[in-house]
Amino acid sequence: MILTPWLAPIVWEGTFNHDILMEEYQRNSYRIGLLVPAIGKYIQLLKKFLESAERYFVKGGMVKYYVCTDRPDEVKALNLDIKRPMKIIKVPEYSDWHQTVMGRMEVIKNQTELLFHKELDYLACLDTDIVMLNPIGVEILGEMVGALHPGYYHSPRKDLPYERRPISQAFIPEDEGDFYYQGNFFLGTVPRIYQLTKACNENIMKDRANGIHARFDEESHLNKYFLYNKPTKVLSPEYICNDSLGSPKDIKIKRVNHGDKPFKKDT
Ligand SMILES: CC(=O)N[C@H]1[C@@H](OP(=O)(O)OP(=O)(O)OC[C@H]2O[C@@H](n3ccc(=O)[nH]c3=O)[C@H](O)[C@@H]2O)O[C@H](CO)[C@H](O)[C@@H]1O
Ligand SMILES: [Mn+2]
């Protein structure tokens, strides 16, 4: 499938000409931010993430890295082999894993107001446990872009793991839903990312006030948002693979490996 039912492209290897897209990009010299949280022990993953991004993420583009961390000194001590600019954004140490992943929406919203609206045209938000293995180029750029979860792109709607409890703001009724999007790779223009993170954060706050926590944290809220605010471009699972998937025939190129950690996740 290379087009959604609302006619947004689904980006697979072979569906685009990188040279044409790059010429178009260079005429506009868009500024791209790559934001990654590295809070607590996830700082251990940062060097591999950033050095792979340096090699593969929009090569030839104007990219700046934004690292959100509770421990700036540990990030500075990493001896990173990167040439593109990096800014460290100080964030609180959250009480647990769930608050940390949910907090990302609030941090992005706040930093968009303060910083990103001045510094960037596009912002991409990725997990730290991603290692890029192949080029991820300007083909990913769009107004508002989501990535298909590699575990569910062939699943019927009834099997998509949306939040199904009506009490949550992330609730999606049984007879609705297009795709299941992954929470760890989304991007868009700065104004669209602002709207997205503001809406998700407000819904997270409402859930908190109502004593409910959505099934897959901020990913459930992102899926709700994308249902009623359709992405203008969708990334195929090439962009968010992991080894546990094996080698599905339709994934010709694994652009990343996601999820390997040298420590146990404390959820
Ligand atoms: C299989 C599974 O359960 N997947 C869920 C899990 O993905 P993951 O298992 O990929 O979550 P994860 O442990 O990678 O955490 C998400 C990201 O938050 C950041 N981080 C998290 C904790 C911390 O102490 N410090 C820190 O920096 C870091 O960038 C990390 O990569 O979580 C996501 C939330 O985004 C979604 O809910 C996914 O569906
Ligand atoms: Mn992850």
Side-chain angles (χ1 to χ4, degrees), residues 74-226:
E74 285 186 27
V75 172
K76 284 179 202 148
L78 281 176
N79 193 17
L80 297 166
D81 187 14
I82 53 171
K83 296 204 170 55
R84 301 195 284 196
M86 177 178 88
K87 191 163 207 150
I88 296 176
I89 294 169
K90 176 93 168 64
V91 298
E93 185 187 345
Y94 296 90
S95 55
D96 63 19
W97 183 89
H98 294 281
Q99 300 315 318
T100 309
V101 296
M102 301 280 246
R104 166 158 48 182
M105 292 294 180
E106 185 174 27
V107 168
I108 298 168
K109 176 208 150 258
N110 289 343
Q111 293 299 323
T112 305
E113 285 168 0
L114 285 169
L115 204 64
F116 302 147
H117 80 97
K118 290 183 281 192
E119 298 197 350
L120 298 174
D121 299 300
Y122 291 96
L123 179 67
C125 308
L126 272 67
D127 265 17
T128 337
D129 58 344
I130 285 175
V131 178
M132 301 180 198
L133 307 172
N134 276 299
I136 295 179
V138 287
E139 75 280 359
I140 67 169
L141 297 178
E143 276 277 306
M144 190 170 65
V145 185
L148 297 182
H149 193 300
Y152 297 100
Y153 68 107
H154 288 309
S155 304
R157 180 188 274 164
K158 67 173 178 41
D159 294 342
L160 302 181
Y162 297 133
E163 174 56 68
R164 299 293 195 188
R165 292 167 297 175
I167 186 187
S168 170
Q169 301 300 316
F171 168 64
I172 294 180
E174 296 287 338
D175 58 348
E176 290 189 52
D178 307 306
F179 299 109
Y180 191 76
Y181 302 95
Q182 187 110 43
N184 53 28
F185 196 140
F186 61 92
L187 69 143
T189 58
V190 167
R192 295 301 290 270
I193 291 295
Y194 181 68
Q195 290 165 0
L196 179 159
T197 52
K198 185 166 181 285
C200 288
N201 185 51
E202 281 167 8
N203 286 338
I204 289 170
M205 296 301 175
K206 280 187 205 153
D207 271 10
R208 188 169 298 159
N210 293 329
I212 177 104
H213 189 95
R215 181 169 176 188
F216 284 117
D217 308 277
E218 91 296 359
E219 184 172 271
S220 300
H221 292 279
L222 182 74
N223 273 278
K224 171 72 177 272
Y225 187 82
F226 279 161

Side-chain angles (χ1 to χ4, degrees), residues 41-57:
K41 60 188 173 190
Y42 283 66
I43 294 173
Q44 296 170 51
L45 304 170
L46 192 62
K47 189 170 166 67
K48 244 181 150 173
F49 174 90
L50 286 174
E51 291 179 1
S52 74
E54 185 80 358
R55 192 153 170 212
Y56 293 119
F57 187 79

